[in-house]
Amino acid sequence: MAIELLSGVKYGSVMSLVVVLVAFWFQSPDSSVLDERLDTVLSSLLRAERKVGMSSVSRPRVAIGFGGCVDIIVDGVALLNKIGVKPTDQPLHHDYIENAEQLAQSFAYFFSPGAASERFVMNDTLFSELVDASRELPGNRWSIGGNAPVMASRMALEGCDVLLGGSFSTDFIDILSQHIMVAGNIVEEPDIHLIMEYPTGATWGPYSSRRANRYIVHSDDHNPYLDSIEQFQEKLKGYMPDLLVVGGLQMMDSFPFRQGERGSLLGKLAKMLSSASLQTTVHFEMASFVDEGLMSDLLEFVLPNADSLGMNEQELPNLLSLFRGSNLTVLSDPNPRVATVLDQMRDLYRLVNQHHQEAGTGRPLTRLHVHTLAFQAIIVKRSSQWKNTMSATAKASLTANRHVCGSPDIDLSKARLIMDESFSVSRQEGSQRISLKESRPVSCWDEEDYEICVAPVLVCTEVYQTAGGGDNISAAGLVLQI
């Protein structure tokens, strides 16, 4: 009996080994082909990026405003569990957060689809409780935050000299690049933003995230007031930048300004932008806006003075809905198809320029960059000041992986392509399809008066940080186009 049992065990072991070997035999080629494909895409993107070199002698000059903060980055689910905020059975959108129940509802609303969001916390006690709990969470990280400082840091890293407008503490300024000059007030306590990150497949009660992303809360004192604008404008006069970037205006969203205060601040900003030399291109970096009044103000004061716009797949339909006269789109498809995004980009490009022609003032829109999880897409008007669109799209794609994985070197074992192997250039019936070619992954073509470039992203599968992704991607793309 023992011999029969031993024989059975041996026979079973041999059969298991055979099954494993057969499985390996049949799966290995597929795995090898996949690895080879990723390697070819990476090599081709790197080659496209390097096609345009940055001069070490003549560094581009960039001016970026406004504001900044210290980010505390934590696991969002762990933080909610720590302070006793239980999963809600009613996911709801809120323009701002007043209590723990609204926080739970708002977090759940964006958590399941994995959509990025940012909200102002009206309740100082709640915000302080969140910050204090975050300090105690294992694995919390602190970093430079805010659109302007993050974009400034990326551009300095990529070879630019930068004038940064914002009010920071001396400790904050000390850790900035030596290629960044600050224009603004010194403050004792910088604003804090709480970055509640979560990976793909994270769970919170009955909810599961479809993709890695973050939910951001803040309760700023300085940033909504653009309190560095006078110092920034003064230094701007003699700086003569190649590019002027405006970001961080979402800090005004749902903020309790006094009557007319926000309009006055944006009026000052509009005056500064309109006085910029025509040799200086102007870029506006969008963000998560839910205040329709603020969005209307941006349409009046900021967009008419911008040559270039940058945004993600949530912000694009949101801005487009404003131009179409409909309600803001708070939550959109977090993984849109290429054709959908390109149609939305064409519509936005047309509507913004139509608005410009009707107004008869300001600058026409000549560049539009949309960054999504799966791909990068850039529209640039032909014969405009913007150059190197193909290389810029490749660089934006590579920067997405570098930032999210937290490494300048791309590890293919931590990357995958989720963009389709071919895509339609439009949702219109009979539209051209373009195949993704591994040896030439950036697809560019001409339409009307502009060029379109689309590049796949080597999506990071081991997320280090999603916050600041859009700012890094936009900044990297801009560097090669000025």
Side-chain angles (χ1 to χ4, degrees):
M1 185 70 177
I3 293 174
E4 289 179 2
L5 182 60
L6 181 60
S7 175
V9 170
K10 287 182 178 178
Y11 177 76
S13 299
V14 170
M15 286 304 297
S16 298
L17 179 60
V18 169
V19 169
V20 169
L21 288 174
V22 169
F24 179 78
W25 176 266
F26 283 105
Q27 290 182 6
S28 184
D30 291 341
S31 176
S32 175
V33 168
L34 184 59
D35 290 345
E36 185 177 335
R37 183 176 185 233
L38 284 178
D39 186 61
T40 304
V41 170
L42 175 58
S43 299
S44 303
L45 287 172
L46 289 169
R47 189 166 58 250
E49 178 187 41
R50 293 172 186 146
K51 195 172 182 180
V52 181
M54 294 290 290
S55 170
S56 58
V57 178
S58 177
R59 297 172 65 94
R61 296 167 72 82
V62 181
I64 305 178
F66 289 94
C69 60
V70 173
D71 282 347
I72 308 179
I73 304 163
V74 297
D75 181 284
V77 172
L79 176 61
L80 292 178
N81 290 339
K82 183 175 178 61
I83 65 170
V85 174
K86 299 190 182 311
T88 178
D89 58 1
Q90 194 176 21
L92 284 175
H93 155 66
H94 294 282
D95 288 351
Y96 49 85
I97 305 301
E98 293 185 285
N99 53 53
E101 182 183 8
Q102 289 182 350
L103 175 62
Q105 292 172 338
S106 182
F107 182 83
Y109 184 82
F110 293 101
F111 177 75
S112 288
S117 184
E118 184 167 1
R119 291 294 178 268
F120 177 71
V121 178
M122 290 278 194
N123 186 327
D124 289 341
T125 302
L126 173 61
F127 187 74
S128 295
E129 183 183 354
L130 288 165
V131 170
D132 290 344
S134 296
R135 295 177 195 270
E136 298 172 2
L137 271 180
N140 73 67
R141 301 197 314 277
W142 295 71
S143 70
I144 289 174
N147 301 89
V150 171
M151 294 186 78
S153 297
R154 171 56 65 176
M155 288 183 147
L157 179 67
E158 300 291 352
C160 299
D161 287 328
V162 183
L163 173 65
L164 171 61
S167 297
F168 313 115
S169 66
T170 52
D171 290 342
F172 189 104
I173 294 171
D174 287 344
I175 60 176
L176 292 173
S177 165
Q178 62 179 350
H179 294 289
I180 297 176
M181 177 173 62
V182 174
N185 301 314
I186 300 294
V187 297
E188 289 187 17
E189 293 293 333
D191 290 328
I192 292 176
H193 288 192
L194 188 52
I195 317 297
M196 301 168 64
E197 296 256 0
Y198 49 85
T200 302
T203 58
W204 185 53
Y207 308 106
S208 179
S209 61
R210 295 213 303 266
R211 57 168 280 193
N213 225 316
R214 72 277 182 188
Y215 182 90
I216 302 174
V217 290
H218 66 272
S219 186
D220 285 2
D221 294 319
H222 307 290
N223 290 325
Y225 294 103
L226 308 182
D227 60 357
S228 61
I229 191 168
E230 283 83 8
Q231 296 93 328
F232 183 72
Q233 189 168 6
E234 188 61 33
K235 287 197 175 181
L236 200 57
K237 290 177 183 175
Y239 191 69
M240 294 186 295
D242 300 295
L243 172 70
L244 173 58
V245 179
V246 176
L249 299 188
Q250 73 273 19
M251 296 302 100
M252 292 180 156
D253 200 87
S254 303
F255 188 81
F257 288 106
R258 293 192 298 272
Q259 182 70 29
E261 196 171 22
R262 185 178 68 199
S264 175
L265 289 168
L266 289 172
K268 286 183 183 178
L269 175 59
K271 186 176 180 181
M272 185 195 81
L273 295 176
S274 63
S275 65
S277 164
L278 291 179
Q279 278 65 54
T280 298
T281 48
V282 178
H283 173 82
F284 173 49
E285 188 65 21
M286 282 285 293
S288 177
F289 293 99
V290 294
D291 185 334
E292 293 198 17
L294 175 58
M295 287 289 280
S296 296
D297 285 345
L298 296 178
L299 182 59
E300 177 182 354
F301 294 111
V302 181
L303 266 68
N305 296 299
D307 304 276
S308 170
L309 300 175
M311 63 199 72
N312 67 20
E313 74 287 338
Q314 297 290 312
E315 295 148 10
L316 172 61
N318 197 16
L319 183 57
L320 190 56
S321 65
L322 179 70
F323 275 95
R324 289 172 172 165
S326 54
N327 293 330
L328 294 185
T329 307
V330 177
L331 184 61
S332 305
D333 183 356
N335 295 296
R337 307 298 289 268
V338 177
T340 301
V341 169
L342 292 181
D343 281 347
Q344 291 173 336
M345 291 176 72
R346 293 183 186 97
D347 285 350
L348 183 60
Y349 181 88
R350 176 180 55 82
L351 288 168
V352 172
N353 281 314
Q354 182 180 312
H355 188 269
H356 163 73
Q357 290 174 352
E358 291 171 354
T361 59
R363 299 173 180 238
L365 181 65
T366 53
R367 180 181 183 274
L368 178 58
H369 179 186
V370 175
H371 38 86
T372 79
L373 178 67
F375 60 90
Q376 304 291 317
I378 299 180
I379 286 180
V380 166
K381 179 180 171 63
R382 291 195 300 277
S383 74
S384 65
Q385 290 171 287
W386 307 104
K387 55 191 180 183
N388 307 320
T389 307
M390 187 273 288
S391 294
T393 312
K395 188 174 190 67
S397 171
L398 292 165
T399 303
N401 180 285
R402 289 165 178 155
H403 174 77
V404 176
C405 273
S407 171
D409 299 316
I410 295 175
D411 183 348
L412 289 179
S413 69
K414 301 177 182 178
R416 66 188 178 108
L417 289 170
I418 62 173
M419 180 175 156
D420 294 335
E421 293 194 6
S422 68
F423 62 89
S424 293
V425 301
S426 171
R427 290 171 298 178
Q428 290 187 2
E429 190 173 344
S431 295
Q432 176 191 2
R433 288 196 71 85
I434 295 178
S435 297
L436 173 58
K437 297 178 181 177
E438 289 84 355
S439 58
R440 296 189 66 182
V442 185
S443 302
C444 298
W445 65 95
D446 288 340
E447 292 183 11
E448 299 186 12
D449 66 340
Y450 51 80
E451 177 186 27
I452 299 178
C453 286
V454 175
V457 172
L458 291 164
V459 179
C460 176
T461 57
E462 293 187 18
V463 175
Y464 173 74
Q465 179 177 325
T466 66
D471 296 326
N472 276 273
I473 294 164
S474 276
L478 284 163
V479 162
L480 296 188
Q481 295 213 263
I482 55 179

